[in-house]
Amino acid sequence: MIEARLDKGKGPIATIIVQNGTLKVGDYIVSGTTYGRVRSLTDDKGKNIKSAGPSMPVAVYGLAQVPGAGDPIAVVESEKLARQVIEERAAKAKNEMLADVPLANLEDAFKNLGSENLKEFKVLVKADVQGSSEAVREALANLSNEEVKINVVYSGVGAINQSDVMMADVAHASIIGFNVKPDSDARNAAERNGIDIKLFGIIYEALDYVQAKMDDMLAPKFVERTTGKAIVRTTFKVSGVGIVAGSYVQTGKIVRGGKARLYRGGKLIHEGNIVGLKRFKDDAKEVTIGLECGISIADYTEYMEDDEIECFVVEKESK
């Protein structure tokens, strides 16, 4: 097998070089975990031929699915034997995958020892041609960072089939299809097993989807932003509120619902939420620089003249 691709009109096409024997139209063939019957053969000049001999390059039409580049193709006696061969190969591949999963997880655990925050997003990639499959795989792998690793558990060519869903289920992976679609068996299997299948025709859309998944895996980061500072000039009592700090806003603005730190002689005395903010007798959402206001900080009443009140808010960091 030199190259394999999925043609939207003709189906899977395999370009091969015959190594020995003669490949004929009507032969049953097996490659990897797919099989078919040769419907037609085309030589390197695009001419339909009936058979191809040793050292002859030829395009083969008739496989059920797109095989992998480099996979050998063999002629078998009958369709029954072809089915038997691929069923045995599929079962062997499944058993090998099941046997490898615990070991892989253990290896990853030791590999990531000391990186407790490292997360992993697993994905299986299927594309219409080998070049696209490799390009998508490489681009996804490059998205990995210090917090989330992209693990492409498998990449191949052809429509998404039931074997792909089985593999994704074992590996706990999502499936990305690039210019291909799942067949009906794959759709049903994905629904039964809760496997996420996403289809794309533009590589950047696939990358945006995976990047969004990576962002969802991370706990949101919050940043603190100072909005303003005020100095206490006096204190007074407000009915239903209690002791309020009569203050003058020196910089920025004081925001009701924000947080406050109260400093005395440069030393932090108290930190709490701003539960009340008044401009004269009226409640205010915010009071800006150069204006006077009354500030109430949760669980604190021992304000003194020249205390400094720093107002800040905590916001979710933008991606």
Side-chain angles (χ1 to χ4, degrees):
M1 181 81 64
I2 299 173
E3 183 184 57
R5 62 187 176 89
L6 182 66
D7 185 279
K8 292 181 179 178
K10 299 179 180 179
I13 301 174
T15 302
I16 69 167
I17 291 182
V18 179
Q19 290 183 312
N20 54 68
T22 302
L23 179 65
K24 302 182 293 295
V25 173
D27 281 345
Y28 288 100
I29 52 177
V30 173
S31 179
T33 56
T34 186
Y35 80 102
R37 189 174 189 182
V38 179
R39 293 201 313 267
S40 64
L41 297 171
T42 304
D43 64 15
D44 56 353
K45 297 180 178 60
K47 181 182 177 182
N48 286 332
I49 56 177
K50 295 293 184 181
S51 63
S55 302
M56 187 173 182
V58 62
V60 180
Y61 302 82
L63 286 164
Q65 298 167 8
V66 179
D71 284 351
I73 286 182
V75 175
V76 294
E77 295 177 358
S78 64
E79 181 178 10
K80 181 179 178 181
L81 181 57
R83 285 182 177 274
Q84 182 179 341
V85 169
I86 66 164
E87 285 172 2
E88 290 175 355
R89 289 180 178 179
K92 181 181 178 181
K94 180 180 178 181
N95 290 335
E96 288 176 350
M97 177 171 289
L98 288 170
D100 287 345
V101 167
L103 178 60
N105 288 342
L106 185 61
E107 289 175 348
D108 288 343
F110 281 108
K111 188 187 300 180
N112 298 327
L113 194 63
S115 303
E116 297 176 0
N117 296 325
L118 183 67
K119 298 180 183 295
E120 187 177 50
F121 181 68
K122 296 180 181 179
V123 62
L124 183 151
V125 176
K126 293 296 290 287
D128 55 341
V129 295
Q130 192 71 27
S132 295
S133 174
E134 293 173 357
V136 173
R137 180 190 184 109
E138 183 176 350
L140 290 175
N142 288 337
L143 289 178
S144 296
N145 55 44
E146 294 179 353
E147 296 176 296
V148 181
K149 175 188 174 184
I150 301 301
N151 183 357
V152 182
V153 297
Y154 173 80
S155 62
V157 178
I160 299 165
N161 55 51
Q162 194 168 1
S163 295
D164 298 324
V165 176
M166 177 190 73
M167 190 183 303
D169 187 33
V170 171
H172 304 293
S174 297
I175 298 175
I176 285 180
F178 189 75
N179 287 329
V180 295
K181 295 181 179 180
D183 59 31
S184 58
D185 290 339
R187 285 187 184 276
N188 294 335
E191 289 178 6
R192 285 196 308 270
N193 295 284
I195 303 301
D196 192 22
I197 298 179
K198 294 294 182 182
L199 308 177
F200 301 97
I202 301 173
I203 191 169
Y204 297 108
E205 292 179 351
L207 298 181
D208 287 344
Y209 162 74
V210 174
Q211 185 64 63
K213 286 291 187 180
M214 293 171 65
D215 293 342
D216 290 342
M217 294 175 71
L218 298 175
K221 293 182 178 179
F222 293 91
V223 292
E224 182 182 303
R225 181 173 61 86
T226 300
T227 66
K229 295 181 180 180
I231 187 168
V232 178
R233 293 282 178 79
T234 186
T235 61
F236 54 90
K237 188 173 183 179
V238 176
S239 178
V241 177
I243 302 299
V244 174
S247 308
Y248 175 80
V249 182
Q250 294 180 308
T251 63
K253 61 185 178 181
I254 306 301
V255 181
R256 187 178 67 188
K259 296 180 178 294
R261 294 189 182 98
L262 186 139
Y263 294 92
R264 185 171 299 151
K267 182 180 179 180
L268 178 63
I269 301 299
H270 180 74
E271 182 175 328
N273 295 327
I274 297 177
V275 293
L277 184 64
K278 288 187 175 292
R279 175 73 178 141
F280 299 112
K281 294 183 179 181
D282 299 324
D283 289 328
K285 289 185 178 180
E286 60 181 46
V287 180
T288 58
I289 182 173
L291 299 178
E292 295 181 339
C293 60
I295 302 173
S296 300
I297 303 175
D299 304 319
Y300 194 78
T301 59
E302 304 298 324
Y303 309 102
M304 294 181 65
E305 187 177 348
D306 293 330
D307 283 350
E308 293 181 353
I309 296 176
E310 177 187 63
C311 178
F312 64 98
V313 292
V314 178
E315 300 172 328
K316 186 176 180 180
E317 185 177 36
S318 58
K319 300 294 183 184

